[in-house]
Amino acid sequence: MKPPRAAAPPETPFPAALASLRGRKIAVVGDVILDRYLFGHVTRISPEAPVPILEVREERGALGGAANVAKNLSDLMTRVTLVAVTGADEWAAALIRAVKAEPRITA
């Protein structure tokens, strides 16, 4: 007796779905985050705990959370309105500057 044949994977309309987003207006509502990435070299291990001490050489920020979703949608040539609540500190200001730098996102 032969084992049953595996069913062929269904054809996905994914490329067509992506193409259909071009030029659309999309609202994204959610929590926004400013992801921070620190780059450098570990210079030593802390004597108080086994924790590496990083000498920071470079720092980068990136849109995270709903702001990242909005950026990804704008990269697909959609017009995005981002609705979110932020604090009133320097990190919120940096996040708002990063969102405003994206030409197809309105916040």
Side-chain angles (χ1 to χ4, degrees):
M1 181 175 201
K2 291 183 180 179
R5 292 180 67 191
E11 295 204 19
T12 68
F14 191 67
L18 287 179
S20 73
L21 291 175
R22 183 180 289 272
R24 297 274 181 124
K25 294 179 183 178
I26 299 175
V28 176
V29 180
D31 295 330
V32 291
I33 301 166
L34 181 65
D35 292 333
R36 292 179 55 212
Y37 298 94
L38 304 175
F39 300 90
H41 299 284
V42 173
T43 56
R44 62 187 177 93
I45 303 295
S46 171
E48 292 86 20
V51 177
I53 305 299
L54 181 69
E55 181 183 315
V56 177
R57 301 262 171 100
E58 182 182 351
E59 183 176 341
R60 293 184 201 159
L63 297 175
N68 181 263
V69 173
K71 181 186 180 333
N72 291 338
L73 285 168
S74 75
D75 288 345
L76 294 172
M77 304 306 287
T78 63
R79 290 177 288 168
V80 180
T81 298
L82 177 60
V83 180
V85 177
T86 67
D89 59 11
E90 66 183 86
W91 298 113
L95 180 106
I96 291 167
R97 282 192 304 275
V99 169
K100 286 184 177 180
E102 295 296 326
R104 289 180 297 277
I105 298 177
T106 304

